[in-house]
Amino acid sequence: AQKITQTQPGMFVQEKEAVTLDCTYDTSDPSYGLFWYKQPSSGEMIFLIYQGSYDQQNATEGRYSLNFQKARKSANLVISASQLGDSAMYFCAMREKGSSNTGKLIFGQGTTLQVKP
Amino acid sequence: ETGVTQTPRHLVMGMTNKKSLKCEQHLGHNAMYWYKQSAKKPLELMFVYSLEERVENNSVPSRFSPECPNSSHLFLHLHTLQPEDSALYLCASSQPGQYNSPLHFGNGTRLTVT
């Protein structure tokens, strides 16, 4: 069963506007962590932001924020004031407590974001 | 040098060749990973090494053979590959036990099997 679902294969946003990338997850583990990564065309995976399942507040890192709705099992990434350099593929990922010994992440299919000038 | 370094960046090999992918991390992490990224698919975890011991092998065909001689180096030995093995192979490292510790990735090796 798919544990991480990103339903938007591709998104467009106008430069300087905000965009939300969707992510839903499925786990029976009460302890888990959610991560977002950016992958430019060069291929490198760049870590953006982390949200823990017990965190009371939504995570923020600069222009990135996470809209965490635990009851809905969603962890959407919000990018404010989009820039041309934000054009990339974005991946949502999860680490369950049961994987704490390995630290492995399970990834979604990704969303391609294109920022229009 | 810092971070995670993968070599080569690009590799083209025939189905009968033998080649190796190399990964080196300078972050002092205890765990290293190989992921495969095919077009239009999620990243697939192949292998996990923790403290140089293989702790996970996700039903990967035997034509892929990992090696972790120490906590800083990880190899993926390739032999008699198939065209469907063409993909981006990503190496990563992390510090297990630190729950919010992200995986740090290298730039990947783009492999083409002809």
Side-chain angles (χ1 to χ4, degrees):
Chain A
Q2 186 76 28
K3 288 207 168 191
I4 298 282
T5 303
Q6 296 179 252
T7 57
Q8 307 152 312
M11 292 279 288
F12 288 92
V13 65
Q14 204 67 37
E15 194 178 6
K16 299 180 185 177
E17 291 186 350
V19 63
T20 298
L21 307 183
D22 295 341
C23 173
T24 57
Y25 58 92
D26 183 26
T27 181
S28 56
D29 198 329
S31 292
Y32 52 89
L34 296 157
F35 300 77
W36 275 92
Y37 282 83
K38 172 185 178 181
Q39 187 181 41
S41 55
S42 56
E44 61 188 304
M45 293 281 283
I46 302 167
F47 166 66
L48 296 177
I49 195 166
Y50 166 82
Q51 179 84 44
S53 61
Y54 291 117
D55 291 346
Q56 296 295 313
Q57 294 188 323
N58 288 340
T60 61
E61 286 288 347
R63 293 187 299 112
Y64 304 108
S65 61
L66 216 151
N67 183 1
F68 181 48
Q69 298 187 47
K70 194 170 181 177
R72 294 186 176 184
K73 292 189 176 178
S74 75
N76 299 338
L77 177 70
V78 180
I79 305 175
S80 63
S82 297
Q83 301 172 357
L84 296 178
D86 294 334
S87 294
M89 194 138 186
Y90 289 81
F91 290 94
C92 180
M94 178 173 66
R95 173 182 290 146
E96 295 171 305
K97 184 180 179 183
S99 301
S100 59
N101 63 327
T102 66
K104 69 178 182 181
L105 295 183
I106 302 167
F107 286 83
Q109 311 95 307
T111 295
T112 300
L113 176 67
Q114 291 191 42
V115 180
K116 296 180 180 179
Chain B
E1 193 171 354
T2 58
V4 180
T5 304
Q6 287 186 246
T7 54
R9 289 296 308 275
H10 300 273
L11 178 62
V12 179
M13 60 186 287
M15 291 192 287
T16 58
N17 291 158
K18 288 185 180 181
K19 296 285 184 183
S20 295
L21 310 185
K22 179 182 175 182
C23 177
E24 185 174 358
Q25 60 100 357
H26 304 272
L27 299 168
H29 290 159
N30 288 331
M32 297 187 77
Y33 313 79
W34 281 116
Y35 279 85
K36 175 184 178 182
Q37 186 179 19
S38 305
K40 299 183 180 178
K41 282 188 176 181
L43 272 72
E44 301 170 63
L45 180 64
M46 300 175 73
F47 301 104
V48 181
Y49 276 82
S50 181
L51 295 172
E52 301 148 42
E53 181 183 341
R54 191 189 312 178
V55 294
E56 187 149 341
N57 175 350
N58 278 351
S59 303
V60 179
S62 60
R63 57 186 184 269
F64 294 91
S65 174
E67 179 191 0
C68 187
N70 56 61
S71 60
S72 299
H73 293 86
L74 185 65
F75 295 89
L76 189 62
H77 304 298
L78 316 171
H79 63 97
T80 59
L81 295 190
Q82 305 297 310
E84 60 265 27
D85 297 322
S86 298
L88 180 67
Y89 289 84
L90 290 160
C91 173
S93 71
S94 82
Q95 194 63 11
Q98 294 180 11
Y99 205 67
N100 60 349
S101 172
L103 266 59
H104 294 259
F105 284 86
N107 288 339
T109 294
R110 191 162 297 280
L111 173 67
T112 304
V113 181
T114 62

